[in-house]
Amino acid sequence: MSQINRRDFIKAIAAASSASVLTIPSAHAGQTKGRVVVVGGGYGGATAAKYLRMMDGGIDVTLIEANSTYTSCPLSNEVISGERDIKTLEVGYSGLKKHGVKVVHDWVTGVDTAKKVVSTKGGQTYAYDALILSPGVEFNYAAVEGYTEELANTSLPHAWKAGAQTLMLKKQLEAMPDGGKFIIAVPPGPFRCPPGPYERAAQVALYCKTHGKAKSKILILDSNDSFSKKALFEQAWKALYDGMIEWVPGASDGKVIKVDAKTKTCFTNFGDHKGDVVNIIPPHHAGKIARDMGLATFKTHWCEVKPESMEAKAQKDIYVIGDSCIGGDLAGNFGFPKSAHMAMTQAKVAAGAIIAKINNLPLPVPFYVNTCYSVVAPDWGFSVVHVYRVENNTWVYVKEASGISPVTMPDKSPVPRLYRKVEAEYADGWLRNVLADAYS
Amino acid sequence: MRRKYTLALLACLGLSTLPALADDSTEALARTCNNCHGVNGVSAGGAMPSLGGQSETYLKHIMMEWKTGERAAASMNRLIKGYSDEQIASLAKYFAAKPWVPIAQKASADVMARGKDVTDKCETCHGATGGQPDDETTPRLNGQSALFLHLELDKYRDEAFLMTHKKMIKSARKMDEKDVGIAAKFYGNQSK
Ligand SMILES: Cc1cc2nc3c(=O)[nH]c(=O)nc-3n(C[C@H](O)[C@H](O)[C@H](O)COP(=O)(O)OP(=O)(O)OC[C@H]3O[C@@H](n4cnc5c(N)ncnc54)[C@H](O)[C@@H]3O)c2cc1C
């Protein structure tokens, strides 16, 4: 992993983006054109808050986030394998403050949609003209019998929210003997980061292969019958980690329904699997606050939104972005992937729509783009791209622009290794740039 | 020249982000590029290149080559197919109007001395620091991400990677393997 010149770039970025902060001040000093409250300072919320201020300096923006440091999930699988220091994934909120965002560290407990007021655990209230919710996901531990939040924090980390659990999983992998078994249980879709579990399997294999544990096995117990970038993953697993990774689809009894923490055993409908390390990714749904507010109109799990603005279908002036929302071409089986890149695209659409509304301007033409890299070895990466246009208030998945990296060349010859190397480097370049675009 | 200066100045003042322009679809479209290429096309590093301040001709040309499949890319060749020719043209114009912000990345004195020699032949088209392109089709290299430049040279040198610029293909393949990284670092270090 190249760590060159990070500081040189950060310095220049700060200078470049401070130039663009010089937006128009409000017409009357001390008065504001509108108040926007953003809940959640992950990729979605941070991007929305920054872009609102960049687009119109006359808007008052308050970001409410529980924690003072955010840890990026993207590329956190490399922390588990030891390829990356978790510090490269951590970011604070000083960059947003420089854009004039008021950052509050507190937990939002409720929203009065009639009075348009947000209230927090700390006893504060914040009035809004527009509210953006980007609360990520809430885990449904009860869906796997025997699994609890406490177990996740103490012995069976899901590490599906990066931070302490990521480091715990790394420690457990390091303690695993050669010939040990590492189980990854994948929940039914849609879940956060569709290629994430399979990238994790590769990173675990990479660690084992390079640390004298090549006899170890990674068992993926999947609730689903297929997965993102499947052909690319299977090709790489075979080329790099032959025989180490086994995938059991839902149709072959892969769905884990129960776990016994003491014996580290995963139970499926008809079988049981004992592991040395057990990594249960529990099913999840929209962030608690969004569900409490009744915005999760899609099977009570996810929040439906309007394509042109990201405004919640269930509530005027409330915009739901990031992992909590659902959108895209659901009928065609091309829903929005739950990714950081997508959350940022949605944030920019929501911010543009809110600024237009406050300034009585026509809505900007929305355009949704996602790029998601997976890294299976330091010099082997690949990606999936999604592009959506909005036509007649509906998302149209642009097939010719979307899809995965080539599995073979058009004449069926192997893909030159340079393609894979370049994309592994792009993954790191992508991370640096999305962190800067959201937080600097 | 005068117009270019005015546009660059406007961009510096952040006037392109006026609320009055919030409905400008190019502005909204460009925000989709910012994720990877930075606000105003100034990259935060790694292998992602800066775009702001490259010439309109160069930007449009390379995007169209990816779109038509004439030139290979790892991911941009897919993504770009989602943009119409008109959108590509307006994005090229948008980023060309931004100032070029070179980011001088560290390089040792040895690398810089050797770099000057090995880039001798590049000078005709790119200028002494890579910042004086001789025409509108030539990109700026000064203060561009060194890792990006290195990977681009690798692409030009790899026969299996479809590239289009004959002269660049020839020059890159003539280079000594060990000089590729040196040339990239040499340009990455330039502040002007
Ligand atoms: C292992 C892994 C790898 C991944 N890799 C990639 C990748 O390579 N590329 C990619 O694009 N995506 C990737 N993702 C997905 C990405 O992490 C998510 O899609 C993204 O974080 C979603 O952003 P968000 O803003 O919706 O939620 P989050 O990033 O989860 O942020 C939500 C924030 O809201 C705060 N919050 C929630 N409720 C409240 C409340 N009531 N009050 C105050 N604060 C609150 C939380 O503290 C949190 O900081 C990966 C995910 C995982 C798990």
Side-chain angles (χ1 to χ4, degrees):
Chain A
M1 190 49 52
S2 53
Q3 301 289 351
I4 50 155
N5 300 318
R6 190 164 187 226
R7 225 175 276 132
D8 297 335
F9 278 99
I10 295 300
K11 261 191 289 179
I13 283 295
S17 66
S18 69
S20 64
V21 189
L22 271 174
T23 42
I24 284 285
S26 59
H28 312 284
Q31 257 187 2
T32 153
K33 286 201 258 176
R35 294 157 304 179
V36 184
V37 172
V38 182
V39 179
Y43 277 107
T47 305
K50 169 178 160 177
Y51 273 78
L52 281 165
R53 291 284 309 159
M54 260 177 31
M55 287 178 206
D56 189 343
I59 309 275
D60 188 283
V61 180
T62 303
L63 174 77
I64 310 176
E65 158 61 46
N67 305 302
S68 56
T69 302
Y70 178 74
T71 308
S72 167
C73 284
L75 295 182
S76 64
N77 285 330
E78 287 189 339
V79 172
I80 296 166
S81 61
E83 293 290 307
R84 176 181 287 279
D85 190 325
I86 199 162
K87 287 202 180 69
T88 63
L89 302 178
E90 292 169 348
V91 62
Y93 293 90
S94 57
L96 291 180
K97 289 179 193 157
K98 284 188 196 136
H99 284 277
V101 175
K102 293 174 186 153
V103 180
V104 176
H105 293 298
D106 203 343
W107 180 259
V108 172
T109 47
V111 177
D112 183 332
T113 50
K115 293 202 183 109
K116 294 185 138 187
V117 172
V118 171
S119 44
T120 67
K121 200 174 171 183
Q124 302 297 310
T125 53
Y126 301 88
Y128 65 83
D129 298 303
L131 174 65
I132 298 183
L133 299 179
S134 190
V137 296
E138 182 186 43
F139 295 99
N140 178 13
Y141 296 96
V144 179
E145 194 187 328
Y147 198 42
T148 60
E149 183 169 6
E150 200 204 328
L151 281 173
N153 285 321
T154 51
S155 61
L156 299 180
H158 53 71
W160 220 241
K161 178 168 174 40
Q165 287 193 23
T166 313
L167 295 173
M168 198 199 304
L169 195 56
K170 172 183 159 69
K171 276 221 173 93
Q172 294 184 352
L173 173 61
E174 285 165 355
M176 186 173 85
D178 187 17
K181 190 182 275 179
F182 191 110
I183 297 177
I184 302 174
V186 185
F191 54 84
R192 153 181 285 186
C193 193
Y198 317 96
E199 180 190 58
R200 178 169 289 177
Q203 287 291 330
V204 170
L206 169 67
Y207 171 85
C208 292
K209 193 178 158 184
T210 52
H211 289 78
K213 299 182 185 185
K215 288 199 218 81
S216 305
K217 290 267 185 297
I218 296 106
L219 179 65
I220 305 172
L221 297 173
D222 208 323
S223 303
N224 309 283
D225 290 334
S226 189
F227 58 91
S228 171
K229 310 181 202 170
K230 184 166 178 278
L232 288 165
F233 275 112
E234 289 179 337
Q235 182 183 59
W237 290 345
K238 185 152 180 41
L240 299 166
Y241 315 115
D242 198 16
M244 293 177 76
I245 300 172
E246 186 192 347
W247 175 66
V248 184
S252 308
D253 197 29
K255 183 177 179 179
V256 172
I257 52 171
K258 182 179 156 185
V259 65
D260 179 49
K262 279 210 189 82
T263 58
K264 296 208 167 153
T265 307
C266 295
F267 297 88
T268 58
N269 275 312
F270 305 106
D272 51 272
H273 305 267
K274 197 175 156 2
D276 294 277
V277 180
V278 170
N279 176 211
I280 307 259
I281 304 166
H284 34 282
H285 46 232
K288 182 171 176 7
I289 186 73
R291 283 182 95 224
D292 287 353
M293 288 171 68
L295 302 177
T297 48
F298 186 86
K299 298 179 181 169
T300 73
H301 280 106
W302 309 106
C303 307
E304 291 173 291
V305 290
K306 297 178 186 165
E308 65 278 14
S309 62
M310 298 300 298
E311 190 176 22
K313 279 197 180 163
Q315 185 68 52
K316 206 169 152 280
D317 293 325
I318 297 185
Y319 300 73
V320 185
I321 60 172
D323 288 352
S324 281
C325 77
I326 190 158
D329 177 5
L330 294 172
N333 211 13
F334 293 109
F336 281 164
K338 298 196 180 298
S339 75
H341 200 109
M342 203 70 227
M344 292 174 70
T345 301
Q346 293 159 352
K348 291 170 188 181
V349 170
I354 290 170
I355 297 295
K357 191 168 180 191
I358 290 176
N359 287 287
N360 280 318
L361 292 164
L363 279 183
V365 180
F367 198 72
Y368 294 83
V369 173
N370 175 58
T371 323
C372 183
Y373 293 98
S374 298
V375 183
V376 293
D379 64 348
W380 193 312
F382 38 74
S383 62
V384 62
V385 168
H386 299 82
V387 179
Y388 302 86
R389 271 194 224 110
V390 176
E391 281 164 23
N392 305 321
N393 296 333
T394 320
W395 285 289
V396 178
Y397 177 69
V398 186
K399 271 208 175 80
E400 63 275 22
S402 307
I404 61 172
S405 307
V407 181
T408 64
M409 297 314 270
D411 65 359
K412 302 286 170 222
S413 62
V415 175
R417 278 295 271 118
L418 186 56
Y419 276 76
R420 308 296 190 223
K421 181 185 167 196
V422 163
E423 291 213 280
E425 291 293 355
Y426 287 171
D428 175 65
W430 172 89
L431 174 76
R432 290 164 193 254
N433 276 278
V434 287
L435 281 175
D437 196 27
Y439 292 93
S440 298
Chain B
M1 186 62 214
R2 177 105 172 259
R3 192 179 121 77
K4 204 167 170 186
Y5 179 70
T6 316
L7 282 174
L9 191 70
L10 281 175
C12 277
L13 292 173
L15 295 186
S16 55
T17 55
L18 281 182
L21 292 181
D23 67 329
D24 180 332
S25 54
T26 307
E27 186 72 46
L29 209 58
R31 281 178 214 136
T32 63
C33 313
N34 292 3
N35 281 36
C36 294
H37 297 283
V39 172
N40 295 330
V42 183
S43 167
M48 296 301 175
S50 288
L51 311 177
Q54 293 288 23
S55 89
E56 185 179 338
T57 311
Y58 165 75
L59 290 172
K60 188 170 147 186
H61 189 68
I62 194 165
M63 286 190 273
M64 287 308 294
E65 280 189 337
W66 286 326
K67 191 172 175 182
T68 59
E70 265 173 273
R71 179 179 177 134
S75 33
M76 275 306 295
N77 56 343
R78 275 172 278 153
L79 197 51
I80 203 66
K81 292 192 181 77
Y83 298 74
S84 69
D85 292 2
E86 294 71 36
Q87 286 176 322
I88 288 175
S90 56
L91 283 172
K93 194 169 179 176
Y94 173 92
F95 283 108
K98 304 289 178 194
W100 176 249
V101 182
I103 296 171
Q105 303 136 69
K106 282 191 196 76
S108 71
D110 284 357
V111 164
M112 292 310 287
R114 175 84 189 130
K116 190 152 179 42
D117 286 348
V118 303
T119 59
D120 198 37
K121 290 214 177 58
C122 318
E123 202 174 319
T124 342
C125 298
H126 292 281
T129 66
Q132 306 80 28
D134 69 336
D135 68 17
E136 290 288 299
T137 64
T138 309
R140 294 176 195 279
L141 310 178
N142 56 320
Q144 179 62 284
S145 151
L147 180 56
F148 163 75
L149 294 173
H150 192 150
L151 293 170
E152 285 302 293
L153 282 169
D154 283 346
K155 292 180 192 169
Y156 280 114
R157 289 163 60 79
D158 191 329
E159 275 169 33
F161 211 101
L162 185 63
M163 296 295 265
T164 48
H165 199 288
K166 289 213 174 66
K167 207 166 157 190
M168 261 312 294
I169 293 173
K170 221 168 134 190
S171 314
R173 290 191 189 162
K174 268 197 208 143
M175 288 177 87
D176 224 56
E177 174 84 50
K178 64 178 192 319
D179 290 337
V180 174
I182 292 177
K185 283 192 183 131
F186 173 81
Y187 287 125
N189 177 260
Q190 305 293 337
S191 58
K192 289 209 174 67

